[in-house]
Amino acid sequence: MNKAVFVDRDGTLNEMVYDEIHGTLDSPRRPEDVVLKPHAADFIKCAHRHGYLVIVATNQPGIARGTLSLKALTAVNDKLAARLAAEEAKWDELRFCPHAPGPAPAKNKYAVACECRKPRPGMLLAAARKFDIDLPSSWMLGDGLNDVQAGKNAGCQTMLVTRLKIEQIELFFSLDNCRPDFIVPDLGQAAEIIAEE
C-alpha cells in the first residue's frame, strides 16, 4: 500500500487574501493573488523524497455560495501548480469540495450537505481508494481544526500548521477529534517531522 500526505490549500500551501468587501481573510479568487507560503515547495519535495504521495484536499465553498466559479478555481489551482513547479515541486492530485450547506443562489446544485467537505473525511477516503493508501501511515495537515478533524475521521496522523500559541488553540480542543498529533509553526517544521517518520 502507499502512504500519503494530505495537505490543505488555502492558508497552508498558499497565503490567504484580504477581502476588502467583507473585511476578512479568504481564499484567492484570481491567479494573480496566489502567493506561496514559506517552505511550501520544499515540504512537497521532502514528502516525495520520503515516499509519500502528496494530495491537496481543499474546501471551496465559494462555488456553492456563488462567489467563485469553477473556471476561476481552476485558474487559481493552475497558478498555484505553476508557482510550485517553478521550485520543482508538484502535487500528485488535487481534490476540492465545492459544497456548502446554507444560503446560496437559487438552483445552485452545490449548496448541499456532503461527505467530502472537511471535517468529513470524504476527499481523503476517495483518494485512499484510488491510490491504495494506508491511512494510518498517512498524514493530514492544515491550518484549521477542520483539517485535523478530517484527518482524524479518516484515521490519519495529523498536524496543525499555525503560529497561534498553544493556550489559544487549546480553547477549541473540546471539539470532537480536533486535537492534532503535532502543532508546527510552518511547513519547514512539518517537513522535519515527516522526514523522521
Side-chain angles (χ1 to χ4, degrees), residues 77-87 91:
N77 288 338
D78 289 348
K79 177 56 78 170
L80 179 57
R83 292 209 186 283
L84 289 167
E87 297 186 35
W91 59 64

Side-chain angles (χ1 to χ4, degrees), residues 8-23:
D8 175 51
R9 194 192 81 172
D10 303 317
T12 306
L13 286 179
N14 58 266
E15 300 282 1
M16 300 293 279
V17 176
Y18 182 69
D19 179 346
E20 294 180 3
I21 295 172
H22 301 99

